[in-house]
Amino acid sequence: MTALLELRGVTVSFDGFRALNDLNLSLQPGDLRAVIGPNGAGKTTFLDVITGKVRPSEGQVLFRGRSLVGISEHRIARLGIGRKFQTPRVYENLTVRRNLELAVSRRSPFALLFGRLDGSAQDRVQHLLRVVGLDPQAQQLAGGLAHGQKQWLEIAMLLAQDPDLLLVDEPVAGLSDEETDRTGQLLRSLAGDHTVIVIEHDMEFIRNLDSPVTVLHEGHVLCEGAMDTVQKDPRVIEVYLGVDDDHQPQP
Amino acid sequence: MLSSSSSGGSLRRWAPWVLIVAASIILPAVLPPFRLNLLGRFLSLGIVALGVDLIWGYTGLLSLGQGIFFALGGYAIGMHLSLNSLEPGQLPEFFGLYGVKELPAFWQPFASPLFTLVALWTIPALVAGVLGYLVFRNRIKGVYFSILTQAALLVFFNFFNGQQRLINGTNGLKTDTARLFGELVGSDAMQRNLFWLTVLLVVAAWLLCRWLTRGRFGDALVAIRDDEPRMRFTGYNPTAYKTLVFTVAGALAGISGALYTVQSGIVSPQYMAVPFSIEMVIWVAVGGRGTLIGAVLGAVLINYARSLISEQLPETWLFVQGALFLLVVTGLPDGLVGWWRQGGLQHLLAMLGRAPRASTYPGLDLDPSVQAEKSSFLSHPPGGEP
Ligand SMILES: Nc1ncnc2c1ncn2[C@@H]1O[C@H](COP(=O)(O)OP(=O)(O)OP(=O)(O)O)[C@@H](O)[C@H]1O
Ligand SMILES: [Mg+2]
């Protein structure tokens, strides 16, 4: 079986500084993968290079065997790659419902002008509003939501887009424990039908995901494996966990 | 209480429209031809302002070069009117001054009224579309976009100024003495008709912009304005959207320029002067960016104020305009219409002591138990005594 996503020897340098350094990683369809690593390890850059925001100076990024290098962001997104950002990014001057409607719509200007949102798309919006518990806020401007609600709206927007590969950057930062649990359940339930990469600092959350973990350090894969094995790896302890055993979620 | 607040809301919404409709019915009857003509000209500027609002207010593209498209529309109609009342074989007069014996090829199609009617908005739209596509594809935005549009404006301005033999250079083209349907363009009767035509086209342009901005397309514009990269990562191509609205704004500017030309009697490179294009942005800012009606109102009110003030005290207008702009930028970020919709008038009246201070829940003021509690609270503030 060909990998859904494969990075081969990817290097990204910013003025000589290597944010990613000979990164290799491969995901099969349906995988759920957690990515951890200290601040500045290159986790966000890793997503940038997949989604076309930055171009690797060396190496290959393959999606279903097809190279993504040099393809513009919106085309990569249309191939079925969706992304949630580290700080929640929603369209603040649109209502919650309209944020979701943009996410389920077809992307061409003419489709938006002349087409109406069909029944199944409307149902999907309604369903997602309920899934993330924002039904009562549907008509409110997204800018007025609380931080956690914005996180969830963005997750809902990602789901509305219905990508094959979901790249989720720090989904539980600023969420309450209960919300964190529900987010974990949601992501786990997506795996199988979707391929999911989750970046987090919250170790408890990662452990509950119960998925293989990739540890990034200085732009390179330090090690891969189950959470328990990874945590015992002396290299990991040295660079990451050893520093601060009960690592807290990012503020 | 609910019904009263919602009727207050719709009053706030519709009052500007009531004002406009009433004005366009009453004013032609009461205004002398000179004033009516001024109003018609300023209304036609409302159309270019709608375009500015579309690209700047909704999509975040601050163009300082809308004068290009405005002038192109004006020249299209100006060329037609220079040609349409000539005897066969005759040339527009100015060509004689420069010894031009034959009509330049690009003039010829403008002899056709139909061609002109189409060209006066498609040519500006096309120029805007091509310029926009090149700029947006290269992801030029923000200040760089503004500077670039202003540079393009200067290029067009200098080119038109220098082309005496093609389009009469600095002098421009006069339209008043031309005839349209056998009537002098500058005549009172014709000007009155042009006023009505302008009113119709302002409404049509407003409806078009409303259609563009109300639905999901408008949402996409706002989303591009607020977070363009995020739109890209969701699969939207902002270049397509921006090029499209910039093209529409170009077409609107062309129509506006043509209407303005026939009502002022001349089109000249002055329409591409730098300050004029900046003023278009000021009209929208003062009227209320992101509110379509604000764009039209801003254009009409500011220009009318300018003509009134300039008649009395010619030197003061620039200061007044500058002060107005500063006032709006600092005090009314959503412009006059935004301020009005947020209940600004009530606040102002309250400040002046004319009306009860706006209270969020008017019902509370009538509820005796609340009043009783309030007065007891006032006489014994909690924690007031040690
Ligand atoms: N556009 C850029 N220009 C220069 N340096 C950059 C750029 N983007 C990222 N970097 C650097 O690359 C390194 C990796 O950054 P990245 O954001 O990928 O880290 P991260 O693992 O996501 O960290 P965090 O946990 O804080 O989110 C950092 O040292 C960062 O300063
Ligand atoms: Mg990061």
Side-chain angles (χ1 to χ4, degrees):
Chain A
M1 195 161 57
T2 57
L4 183 86
L5 178 75
E6 192 169 1
L7 278 77
R8 286 191 202 145
V10 171
T11 296
V12 169
S13 52
F14 297 115
D15 302 321
F17 171 75
R18 293 181 166 218
L20 293 184
N21 189 3
D22 187 27
L23 183 78
N24 292 288
L25 187 135
S26 169
L27 282 184
Q28 297 300 320
D31 278 358
L32 171 61
R33 174 72 57 95
V35 175
I36 61 173
N39 290 118
K43 303 180 298 293
T44 299
T45 309
F46 161 64
L47 299 190
D48 288 346
V49 87
I50 299 170
T51 52
K53 187 178 173 204
V54 299
R55 216 188 150 105
S57 34
E58 279 166 55
Q60 276 297 322
V61 183
L62 302 172
F63 182 65
R64 296 203 184 97
R66 175 181 170 182
S67 172
L68 295 181
V69 177
I71 301 184
S72 59
E73 298 96 312
H74 70 273
R75 289 190 197 284
I76 292 179
R78 288 180 193 179
L79 291 175
I81 300 181
R83 172 171 188 179
K84 185 212 158 293
F85 290 85
Q86 184 162 345
T87 47
R89 274 162 76 173
V90 296
Y91 307 118
E92 308 223 324
N93 289 304
L94 300 178
T95 63
V96 169
R97 180 183 296 281
R98 284 174 167 235
N99 266 275
L100 284 170
E101 284 179 356
L102 274 186
V104 298
S105 296
R106 288 188 42 220
R107 304 311 194 215
S108 96
F110 300 100
L112 291 197
L113 273 177
F114 299 104
R116 318 198 80 233
L117 208 56
D118 61 38
S120 74
Q122 276 172 11
D123 291 347
R124 207 137 58 85
V125 168
Q126 198 53 47
H127 171 72
L128 285 167
L129 279 173
R130 247 177 266 126
V131 168
V132 295
L134 288 174
D135 211 1
Q137 284 83 19
Q139 304 302 339
Q140 272 179 30
L141 291 187
L145 294 180
H147 178 81
Q149 292 175 316
K150 283 187 191 167
Q151 287 274 39
W152 273 49
L153 173 57
E154 200 183 3
I155 291 171
M157 287 160 75
L158 179 60
L159 297 178
Q161 212 181 317
D162 197 24
D164 298 327
L165 174 63
L166 288 84
L167 309 171
V168 191
D169 203 350
E170 304 203 11
V172 299
L175 294 192
S176 69
D177 287 352
E178 194 207 325
E179 289 167 331
T180 301
D181 287 347
R182 285 181 57 194
T183 308
Q185 282 168 20
L186 188 66
L187 291 173
R188 271 204 312 276
S189 74
L190 289 170
D193 293 338
H194 304 77
T195 312
V196 186
I197 297 179
V198 185
I199 292 175
E200 248 311 331
H201 282 291
D202 185 335
M203 291 303 149
E204 200 47 41
F205 173 78
I206 297 282
R207 189 186 306 281
N208 288 337
L209 278 184
D210 195 23
S211 70
V213 177
T214 297
V215 185
L216 280 192
H217 177 54
E218 294 179 347
H220 195 75
V221 175
L222 195 64
C223 68
E224 269 176 11
M227 187 64 176
D228 290 333
T229 356
V230 161
Q231 262 185 322
K232 292 195 190 93
D233 192 305
R235 291 168 303 173
V236 176
I237 296 173
E238 189 188 330
V239 304
Y240 190 65
L241 299 168
V243 182
D244 180 5
D245 219 327
D246 41 15
H247 202 91
Q248 290 301 303
Q250 286 295 95
Chain B
M1 196 183 99
L2 246 178
S3 70
S4 83
S5 79
S6 78
S7 77
S10 69
L11 172 73
R12 238 175 267 146
R13 240 196 136 63
W14 290 106
W17 278 105
V18 174
L19 202 74
I20 286 177
V21 172
S24 49
I25 292 172
I26 298 168
L27 292 178
V30 298
L31 282 184
F34 167 70
R35 295 270 168 222
L36 186 68
N37 167 257
L38 277 184
L39 184 60
R41 275 155 69 174
F42 302 152
L43 266 177
S44 61
L45 295 178
I47 300 178
V48 69
L50 279 170
V52 171
D53 201 14
L54 200 59
I55 54 176
W56 179 49
Y58 286 88
T59 324
L61 309 166
L62 178 56
S63 166
L64 300 179
Q66 293 309 98
I68 298 173
F69 318 117
F70 184 86
L72 287 176
Y75 270 99
I77 195 78
M79 284 161 72
H80 174 68
L81 290 176
S82 307
L83 292 177
N84 80 336
S85 336
L86 297 175
E87 304 296 320
Q90 232 184 351
L91 285 189
E93 223 176 70
F94 74 88
F95 280 123
L97 300 176
Y98 312 114
V100 178
K101 295 267 158 22
E102 209 175 318
L103 196 63
F106 76 93
W107 272 76
Q108 282 164 13
F110 287 95
S112 147
L114 195 66
F115 175 86
T116 306
L117 275 186
V118 175
L120 69 85
W121 60 275
T122 45
I123 291 178
L126 209 71
V127 174
V130 171
L131 186 73
Y133 176 71
L134 293 175
V135 171
F136 302 135
R137 194 194 53 174
N138 289 307
R139 304 199 180 181
I140 295 170
K141 42 188 168 189
V143 180
Y144 299 97
F145 174 75
S146 304
I147 292 173
L148 210 132
T149 49
Q150 188 164 87
L153 180 73
L154 277 169
V155 169
F156 272 84
F157 176 73
N158 288 325
F159 178 79
F160 275 69
N161 253 333
Q163 298 302 318
Q164 275 94 349
R165 296 167 59 89
L166 289 180
I167 35 149
N168 204 17
T170 345
N171 305 321
L173 307 173
K174 299 209 167 40
T175 60
D176 265 354
T177 50
R179 284 181 183 276
L180 206 56
F181 307 115
E183 182 90 53
L184 267 182
V185 173
S187 71
D188 285 354
M190 181 59 91
Q191 288 298 321
R192 185 173 295 262
N193 290 338
L194 287 172
F195 174 82
W196 288 115
L197 180 66
T198 306
V199 171
L200 277 182
L201 287 175
V202 169
V203 173
W206 177 80
L207 285 171
L208 172 76
C209 291
R210 194 170 106 110
W211 175 64
L212 288 172
T213 53
R214 274 196 95 182
R216 281 178 297 148
F217 182 82
D219 291 348
L221 298 184
V222 170
I224 287 170
R225 179 191 72 193
D226 292 348
D227 196 342
E228 180 175 341
R230 188 162 194 326
M231 280 296 269
R232 288 185 194 279
F233 292 119
T234 336
Y236 285 92
N237 180 11
T239 308
Y241 286 83
K242 290 179 175 180
T243 306
L244 192 67
V245 285
F246 198 59
T247 305
V248 172
L252 290 175
I255 295 170
S256 171
L259 285 170
Y260 190 79
T261 297
V262 288
Q263 292 177 89
S264 12
I266 187 168
V267 56
S268 82
Q270 281 311 310
Y271 290 3
M272 291 186 273
V274 167
F276 187 50
S277 287
I278 295 177
E279 279 164 21
M280 295 175 188
V281 174
I282 297 183
W283 307 333
V284 175
V286 171
R289 70 183 280 213
T291 67
L292 296 173
I293 190 75
V296 179
L297 272 182
V300 174
L301 291 181
I302 292 191
N303 282 288
Y304 225 100
R306 180 225 297 267
S307 82
L308 290 181
I309 291 174
S310 308
E311 280 165 30
Q312 311 298 327
L313 305 156
E315 300 85 23
T316 51
W317 170 248
L318 278 181
F319 293 101
V320 174
Q321 176 172 271
L324 204 60
F325 185 61
L326 283 178
L327 180 79
V328 166
V329 168
T330 53
L332 312 172
D334 299 315
L336 289 174
V337 169
W339 172 79
W340 168 263
R341 284 192 187 156
Q342 289 154 19
L345 193 64
Q346 282 91 319
H347 293 314
L348 191 68
L349 286 177
M351 255 163 61
L352 298 176
R354 286 290 170 80
R357 197 169 284 275
S359 100
T360 356
Y361 298 106
L364 290 184
D365 287 340
L366 303 175
D367 189 329
S369 66
V370 173
Q371 288 309 313
E373 214 167 277
K374 226 186 200 174
S375 55
S376 77
F377 177 85
L378 285 176
S379 48
H380 311 284
E385 283 141 331

